[in-house]
Every structure is written in structure tokens, then in C-alpha cells.
Amino acid sequence: MKFQLFLASLFSHIKGRHWWLGIVIWIALVAPAQASVILRVAIERDVKQVKVGSSTTAVVKDSSGRTLGQLPGMSAYYAQAVPGGVALDKWQSNLFWVEPTGKGFVYIGDRWYRGRTLVVPSEKGLSVVNWVDLEEYLYSVIGGEMDSGWPLEALKAQAIAARTYALYEREKQRNNPIYDLGDTPDRWQIYQGVNSESRTTLAAVDATAGKVLTYRNRIILSVFHACSGGHTENSEDVWGSREPYLRAVPDFDQNISECNWIRTFSPTEISAQIPEIGNVKQMIPESTSPFGSVTSLKIVGDKGQKVLRGEDVRTALKLKSTRFNVSNGNGSFTLRGLGYGHALGMSQWGAYNLAKRGYNHLQILNYYYKGVALAPIQVKK
């Protein structure tokens, strides 16, 4: 296969910090000015290859903005990391844009997305980033984060919370030359492309278009979770830092089956997660929040002990929540808990139940985020 080499000599001289500067320059060269709010969502990061394509004929551009040719619609091609850049079909360049014609969707990995695709080299291979309008991004996120059959007022509350969170992350990542956020719930929001869109998610986003939550004129960290198990938490009891708008409130998500859980661990299973303490002998909740969540958990083994604090209590053992009690019997440890998630901000099941009771989306948001205001952003539809 013959490859066209564009800016190869420039790429070879850009190392370390300057390499990232080069990427910024290339993106700036080929990214036209946008009046709408565009999000850069990393769909794949640091992989060797990934399939890309388009539902309609797609224009392929290189790092200088030059049109290399077209990819036929409804066909997928492997983008691959190669020495000196990225290869796509018969081309090689420092980066590629894949831009569908008409109202086409782009294909990345195994899903369809709105917007366009940037394929760019990364330190460990390549990354594929979906450049998508904020409101169109939310069409998918709402369906990923909530059941699209839930009451519209709950979906509208989720739309505003998700929009606010996305812009908060976008600002937080302003020095990242490649992406603003990813597509997974471990750190960001669930983004599954057009597959999770529906009539109701579009309606919820359109009805709240451009609206965000602010506290003292600054966009808030509008985190949310599936359910708290009866009471949300104060941010300092989970993350150690106090946010005035993330205050604990009684919740409306009791008696939800997924929010009542039991996990049984053998000592070997716990030791596999925390090997430095040896064989586990005890699990002792040392402190709890005012609302019953474990804020400090001591795990004692025959080689030492480890104290987990805050959110580490949940993540280290892959628990649904930190609201649990511990019992020890037959050589194993049984944890019985309530809630699903970090219990900060809006409870999604709580929003569902409040909407069922007739509360609107603004009332729901004002209940879970204290002292906030609803503010507009300028978004071109």
C-alpha cells in the first residue's frame, strides 16, 4: 500500500510537550470557527486501531486541512497508529478528519454518532474523538443516564444537570489539546451515540436548550447518581471538599430494588484487591457520615492494615455505595447496603419519584442542588 506523507518531517521533530503543541496547531488549522458549543468527546483513547466510517459519503481531510478524498457511505475502515502518525485506508497523515456529507452520522468502533470524527495520534497509539454539538451530545446522554420512558420532568432535570456537568468538565479540560471528556460513567457521562436517543430524550433536551445551573455566577459541578438509599450526602463527607450547593437532603428513592444490595467477600477476594495487607481478618467501619454512609473503613490483615476513606471505600471494593453494614460469619464478610453511586447531588430515582408526584424539573433541581440559579448559555440550534 502506498502512503502519502504530509508534514512527516515536522512531526518527527515534535517531542514531549512540543508534540502536544503541534497537535493543537494542526487542529486549529483545520477546525473552522463554530458559533455553537462543540464538545470533543473521546470515544477511543490510546488504542492501536479502530474502525471509523460514515452513513453518507464522508470527506477525509489531513492535518493541513487538505481534502484527501472520500470514504463511501455505510463502509468502515480501520484507522491505525503507524510510525509518524495515523493511517486510514490508502492515506497516512499526522491526523485525519472524517466529515459526513448531508445529515450523515459517523461510525466509531461499533456505534453511530452525530457530528464528525477526529483521528489523532496519542502517546500510546491513537485516539478517536467525536466533535459534536453540545445539545446533540445530550440527546444521547439523557437516554444513557435515564430510562427514556421516565416522566418528562425527570428527563428535563437530567438534561440540565448533564449539560451543566459537560460544560464544567469542558472548562476543567481546557488545557487538554485532544478532548474535553470521555464517554464512560466512571468519570464522565454515559454517551452511546444515536443508539440511546429517542423522541423523549430529544424533547427533554430541546425544552431546556442552553440552560445550566450556576452558583454565584459560576457553573456548578452538577454530579448525580442512581439512588442514595434514603438520604444524599454532603460533599465533604465523600470527597473531602465542601461545595455549598452539594448539601445532604432526605431522598425519595427508597424501595428501589437496584438500590438494595448485598455483597459477600471471602478474605481471598479482599486480599486480591488490597494485597499488601495479606490475609484479611477484619473489616471495621471506623466512622460514618451523619446519614449512615461509611466514611472510614479499616481492613486488617495478617501483614498489616489499610484504612479506606471517602469515595475510596466504594471504589476499592467495587461496591454500589458506601451506605452499608458489615457482618462476619463462616470466614466471609457480608455487606448489606443501600444506594447506588456516590450519593451527591441529584438522585435519578429520586427525580423519577418526585416527577411522578407532580414536581417539575426546576423544583427537582432546586431540591438537590442548594442555592443554585438557572442561567442561559448561547447555543446555536
Side-chain angles (χ1 to χ4, degrees), residues 19 64 78 88 94 146 153 160 183 185 212 214 264 333 341 370:
W19 182 86
S64 68
Y78 276 108
L88 175 63
N94 304 110
M146 272 189 176
E153 292 303 310
I160 293 174
D183 63 348
V212 295
T214 63
T264 299
F333 300 91
K370 295 303 181 184

Side-chain angles (χ1 to χ4, degrees), residues 21-53:
L21 177 61
I23 293 296
V24 176
I25 293 171
W26 290 324
I27 292 174
L29 283 172
V30 295
Q34 298 283 348
S36 57
V37 176
I38 298 298
L39 286 181
R40 305 170 302 161
V41 187
I43 307 301
E44 298 284 355
R45 291 177 292 153
D46 296 326
V47 297
K48 296 303 180 184
Q49 65 178 21
V50 63
K51 286 183 178 180
V52 298

Side-chain angles (χ1 to χ4, degrees), residues 3-74:
F3 294 105
Q4 298 181 32
L5 300 178
F6 298 104
L7 301 179
S9 60
L10 176 60
F11 185 89
S12 65
H13 290 295
I14 297 175
K15 305 290 185 181
R17 178 178 60 183
H18 302 293
W19 182 86
W20 291 106
L21 177 61
I23 293 296
V24 176
I25 293 171
W26 290 324
I27 292 174
L29 283 172
V30 295
Q34 298 283 348
S36 57
V37 176
I38 298 298
L39 286 181
R40 305 170 302 161
V41 187
I43 307 301
E44 298 284 355
R45 291 177 292 153
D46 296 326
V47 297
K48 296 303 180 184
Q49 65 178 21
V50 63
K51 286 183 178 180
V52 298
S54 173
S55 63
T56 59
T57 299
V59 177
V60 179
K61 297 179 180 179
D62 69 4
S63 57
S64 68
R66 176 188 175 188
T67 297
L68 300 177
Q70 295 181 333
L71 294 178
M74 303 306 295

